[in-house]
Amino acid sequence: MRKCSTLLWLLLTFPAALLAQTHERQTDDSAVLNQPLIPVSKQTLLSNIDVIANMQMSFQNEFDEGTYQRSRFVMNQFRLEIRGKVHDKVYFRFRDRYTRGVVPQSIDNISRSTDLAFLRFDPNESWSIYAGKLCADWGGFEFDANPIENYEYSDIIEYADNFLVGAGVSYMLPDKENQFTLQVLNSRTASFHELYDTTALPGIREARFPFAGVFNWRGNFGKFSTLWSYSLFREADSEYMNYLALGNQFKTGMFQIQYDFKWSRESLDRKGIISGFTDNVGIKTARRARYMSHWVRLDWHLSGKVNLFFVGMMDDAYWKPGGTNLPANNSTNKLRTAWGYIPGVEVYPFKNLNLKVFGTFIGRMYVYTDYAKSNLGMANTDNYRASIGIISPLVIL
């Protein structure tokens, strides 16, 4: 009789207990489901942060000396960027390049693929102070543009070390039309011995502090704008690189023209272009190198959806062969002129999305002087490619 009473009690209470547990579980699940993935306290912070996928992808047909070589799809640029405000006066910016090898550098201890990783402090509307891995504020509109907007760089930019660790300060004049910037940076990301053939540089000592000083002026005069800079890079004891960039822009109505003049004098061949020529005769690191560049871009905005453009560039390389067994060059010491030309069209299919479809013809000609041909074994080359693709700084967040 007692066993029957116990069994009856279990049958009556078990469904109630099971129902209570089920109700409790449902209540807990509902509470979890109703909580946001990102806490409310963090949502205000995220509203001040942008995540941007900077992309340039194309299908290109490549030709060398007029002979068809190949066709392929290429991800020319993919740089993921995160930037925003973490305080009323503190900002950050991070951009990493997925089209470059991830190799920490010996000088700054950060991956070469990382373009930007810095904090900026704005104490007021006029001053900005920043530190971290920065873009050297070199001046010139070619270099100042988002990298995905460039279809081909001029030589003097293509072979430069553009992103360096250091600190800077900017001052905006009260007229809000003129800004001045001063940066102090590492002059390179890799060590002196990694960059130069030190056995071919007797008597030259590595600098204890290989620094770069960059001064920049951005001016706005209505239709005319300037982006000028002067830089001094210390490569070794008593060995320097002087770099000057004068960027000019005129914009009116449907038309825009940009012109950059760039000049670099290098005690040691920092770009490495001329060293590539002299390596043929056993001189792995050239001295007394000089580069000069002219770059122009013309834009004709036919409408809000179509833009016709043309980019032209001319890069000259000079070298004085003193102290070598080679004969003296002519009075100019010129070795090569690199020509570039890029006609193209850009179409913006969407009104509220910064995405464009482009078609371009990118040509490069390298013309060597008689001195370079006879003494360095160089020969003229001509190559070009036809590309169609898309460009977008796609805002994800």
Side-chain angles (χ1 to χ4, degrees):
M1 186 70 178
R2 182 177 299 174
K3 291 182 179 180
C4 292
S5 300
T6 301
L7 181 60
L8 181 61
W9 182 82
L10 287 173
L11 290 173
L12 291 174
T13 58
F14 180 74
L18 182 61
L19 181 62
Q21 290 179 13
T22 302
H23 177 72
E24 181 181 357
R25 185 172 63 250
Q26 289 176 344
T27 303
D28 291 343
D29 290 347
S30 178
V32 170
L33 291 174
N34 288 333
Q35 288 189 9
L37 181 63
I38 300 174
V40 175
S41 61
K42 300 290 185 180
Q43 292 178 12
T44 303
L45 180 64
L46 284 177
S47 66
N48 295 318
I49 293 176
D50 291 328
V51 179
I52 305 169
N54 295 284
M55 298 182 294
Q56 185 194 113
M57 190 274 290
S58 67
F59 175 72
Q60 56 191 40
N61 304 282
E62 302 170 4
F63 298 81
D64 187 10
E65 301 296 337
T67 302
Y68 171 71
Q69 299 296 315
R70 61 178 174 175
S71 297
R72 56 177 176 150
F73 289 99
V74 182
M75 182 62 76
N76 302 305
Q77 297 278 349
F78 186 86
R79 308 188 192 212
L80 184 65
E81 181 173 348
I82 305 173
R83 65 184 182 187
K85 181 170 70 172
V86 294
H87 184 271
D88 288 342
K89 297 182 178 181
V90 180
Y91 301 79
F92 78 96
R93 189 175 179 186
F94 172 81
R95 189 174 76 196
D96 199 68
R97 191 186 325 184
Y98 289 82
T99 52
R100 170 170 280 182
V102 183
V103 180
Q105 298 296 285
S106 57
I107 292 295
D108 54 25
N109 198 37
I110 190 170
S111 171
R112 176 116 182 167
S113 69
T114 301
D115 289 343
L116 304 167
F118 68 87
L119 287 174
R120 190 184 88 230
F121 170 57
D122 293 349
N124 53 50
E125 293 183 356
S126 298
W127 290 93
S128 293
I129 303 168
Y130 45 91
K133 189 165 188 183
L134 310 170
C135 176
D137 206 354
W138 271 351
F141 286 93
E142 176 192 17
F143 179 65
D144 193 60
N146 188 327
I148 64 174
E149 302 292 341
N150 281 286
Y151 301 101
E152 182 89 354
Y153 280 110
S154 61
D155 282 357
I156 208 167
I157 297 296
E158 179 66 29
Y159 290 91
D161 216 348
N162 305 322
F163 302 101
L164 303 164
V165 172
V169 59
S170 296
Y171 176 69
M172 178 77 74
L173 292 182
D175 61 8
K176 305 297 183 184
E177 303 295 344
N178 293 274
Q179 184 182 48
F180 298 93
T181 299
L182 178 64
Q183 295 176 321
V184 179
L185 311 161
N186 291 333
S187 68
R188 53 180 180 263
T189 60
S191 73
F192 181 80
H193 298 281
E194 290 173 305
L195 289 175
Y196 300 108
D197 179 16
T198 55
T199 60
L201 301 171
I204 294 180
R205 295 180 301 172
E206 180 178 5
R208 292 180 182 271
F209 178 29
F211 70 87
V214 181
F215 178 75
N216 179 285
W217 168 48
R218 297 170 185 264
N220 184 5
F221 304 93
K223 296 180 180 180
F224 179 69
S225 303
T226 60
L227 189 44
W228 294 6
S229 76
Y230 169 74
S231 306
L232 179 68
F233 282 65
R234 187 188 189 198
E235 289 300 303
D237 281 351
S238 303
E239 304 291 336
Y240 294 88
M241 179 182 79
N242 291 268
Y243 178 65
L244 177 71
L246 303 176
N248 307 272
Q249 175 179 277
F250 181 76
K251 186 175 183 179
T252 178
M254 299 187 300
F255 298 97
Q256 175 180 280
I257 179 171
Q258 297 173 323
Y259 167 70
D260 291 347
F261 171 78
K262 296 182 280 286
W263 172 86
S264 182
R265 187 179 66 187
E266 306 174 8
S267 297
L268 301 177
D269 183 20
R270 184 68 180 86
K271 302 290 185 294
I273 299 174
I274 291 173
S275 297
F277 308 160
T278 62
D279 188 44
N280 293 336
V281 292
I283 303 173
K284 296 187 179 299
T285 300
R287 302 189 63 185
R288 295 173 295 276
R290 184 161 53 93
Y291 300 96
M292 186 166 62
S293 174
H294 301 273
W295 176 90
V296 64
R297 173 165 175 147
L298 307 173
D299 288 276
W300 182 17
H301 297 277
L302 295 178
S303 67
K305 289 186 175 294
V306 180
N307 176 51
L308 300 179
F309 71 90
F310 175 82
V311 176
M313 45 194 156
M314 182 182 75
D315 286 273
D316 289 329
Y318 303 83
W319 179 58
K320 187 176 182 179
T324 70
N325 296 324
L326 295 173
N329 202 344
N330 58 34
S331 59
T332 65
N333 296 310
K334 187 175 181 180
L335 294 182
R336 188 188 77 176
T337 297
W339 299 89
Y341 53 96
I342 311 174
V345 59
E346 298 170 334
V347 178
Y348 299 82
F350 305 105
K351 184 177 181 180
N352 299 319
L353 179 63
N354 189 2
L355 181 148
K356 60 185 175 184
V357 179
F358 67 85
T360 62
F361 184 90
I362 303 170
R364 298 302 303 266
M365 294 188 300
Y366 301 93
V367 181
Y368 294 86
T369 62
D370 292 338
Y371 181 91
K373 293 176 180 177
S374 59
N375 292 281
L376 303 177
M378 305 307 296
N380 296 345
T381 59
D382 182 7
N383 59 69
Y384 53 88
R385 65 183 186 271
S387 300
I388 58 172
I390 58 171
I391 291 176
S392 179
L394 190 63
V395 179
I396 301 172
L397 178 64

